Amino acid sequence: MNLLKLKKISKAYTSNIGEFKILDDVNLSLQNKENIFLFGPSGCGKSTLLNILAGLDYPDDGEMYFQNQIIKKKSSELLQKDLGIIFQDHYLISELNIFDNIKLKCNSHEEINLILKYFELLDLKNKFPNQLSNGQKQRVCVARALVSQPKILIADEPTSYLDRENADLVINLILMASKKFDISTVVASHDMSFQSKFDKSYTINNKNLILC
């Protein structure tokens, strides 16, 4: 089943030197419980595409569907409640402990404790972000994105600040969580060593999405 579908999506930005097109006539179908890997050089349009998928930005042309229902600006909340996002940066609030950072996404103490236990973070729940390593912070971000059990997880370079061991751990946790919670994922990374772990892989070339 098509969980999320992009049809002939285009996106351009305007600067003082004119219009710069990032995406042109992009098509993509994300199936239920499917894991997609997106790669390409910096500036090719990966983040723009992920922002459109996440409802954080809107295409200039084309259509997006979620569970066969068209998504428009005024109805983007239909997608948001079923979406988890992991950004390049942690975006953890330094004044809140780990438990309360995740509570911003979910009010259920039971669900928060369950996701912390699943990601082996339960003993860190009263610590603050500055007391954690980069690897631990990113595991918290994965837990926060998944605590409400969304249907789709979008991750933009989730391992860019991590060493090899922690990068592998985070990707494996995302894919294991996909199976356990029946979540579809779209993960963007410049690290090609992850490509074989995913069901499909795409790159962006000449403003279009290419299946590899």
Side-chain angles (χ1 to χ4, degrees), residues 83-145:
L83 190 77
I85 306 174
I86 304 172
F87 298 99
Q88 291 186 43
D89 294 316
H90 303 122
Y91 293 115
L92 297 172
I93 298 176
S94 59
E95 294 83 6
L96 299 180
N97 64 26
I98 298 313
F99 187 93
D100 288 338
N101 263 281
I102 296 178
K103 191 178 176 183
L104 294 172
K105 183 80 179 200
C106 174
N107 288 322
S108 169
H109 286 214
E110 181 181 2
E111 292 297 327
I112 295 171
N113 282 320
L114 283 173
I115 202 75
L116 287 171
K117 183 178 180 181
Y118 178 77
F119 287 109
E120 299 181 356
L121 293 166
L122 202 54
D123 59 334
L124 301 177
K125 71 177 185 178
N126 293 317
K127 291 188 177 295
F128 290 82
N130 64 359
Q131 296 175 295
L132 304 185
S133 68
N134 281 336
Q136 289 170 332
K137 288 177 185 176
Q138 198 64 328
R139 282 160 56 201
V140 170
C141 292
V142 177
R144 180 182 58 188

Side-chain angles (χ1 to χ4, degrees), residues 17-189:
I17 60 173
E19 185 178 85
F20 181 66
K21 182 164 278 192
I22 302 291
L23 302 173
D24 187 25
D25 204 29
V26 168
N27 297 288
L28 175 67
S29 293
L30 177 65
Q31 307 298 315
N32 193 35
K33 295 185 282 188
E34 184 177 41
N35 297 299
I36 287 178
F37 182 69
L38 178 64
F39 66 96
S42 178
C44 73
K46 298 191 302 296
S47 293
T48 298
L49 178 59
L50 292 186
N51 285 339
I52 290 172
L53 288 171
L56 300 175
D57 201 355
Y58 301 96
D60 299 324
D61 296 295
E63 298 173 336
M64 181 164 68
Y65 298 85
F66 176 63
Q67 294 181 323
N68 295 321
Q69 184 172 357
I70 192 166
I71 297 294
K72 299 181 180 179
K73 286 186 179 183
K74 64 182 180 181
S75 61
S76 61
E77 67 274 5
L78 294 173
L79 180 59
Q80 294 294 335
K81 64 185 178 65
D82 287 309
L83 190 77
I85 306 174
I86 304 172
F87 298 99
Q88 291 186 43
D89 294 316
H90 303 122
Y91 293 115
L92 297 172
I93 298 176
S94 59
E95 294 83 6
L96 299 180
N97 64 26
I98 298 313
F99 187 93
D100 288 338
N101 263 281
I102 296 178
K103 191 178 176 183
L104 294 172
K105 183 80 179 200
C106 174
N107 288 322
S108 169
H109 286 214
E110 181 181 2
E111 292 297 327
I112 295 171
N113 282 320
L114 283 173
I115 202 75
L116 287 171
K117 183 178 180 181
Y118 178 77
F119 287 109
E120 299 181 356
L121 293 166
L122 202 54
D123 59 334
L124 301 177
K125 71 177 185 178
N126 293 317
K127 291 188 177 295
F128 290 82
N130 64 359
Q131 296 175 295
L132 304 185
S133 68
N134 281 336
Q136 289 170 332
K137 288 177 185 176
Q138 198 64 328
R139 282 160 56 201
V140 170
C141 292
V142 177
R144 180 182 58 188
L146 297 178
V147 66
S148 58
Q149 296 190 21
K151 291 183 173 66
I152 302 170
L153 175 67
I154 305 291
D156 188 1
E157 297 279 2
T159 65
S160 58
Y161 299 122
L162 303 180
D163 58 30
R164 170 51 54 192
E165 181 180 358
N166 279 299
D168 288 339
L169 175 61
V170 165
I171 292 297
N172 288 335
L173 284 172
I174 288 172
L175 294 176
M176 286 189 295
S178 170
K179 291 181 180 179
K180 180 175 177 61
F181 302 116
D182 294 336
I183 296 169
S184 301
T185 70
V186 181
V187 177
S189 177

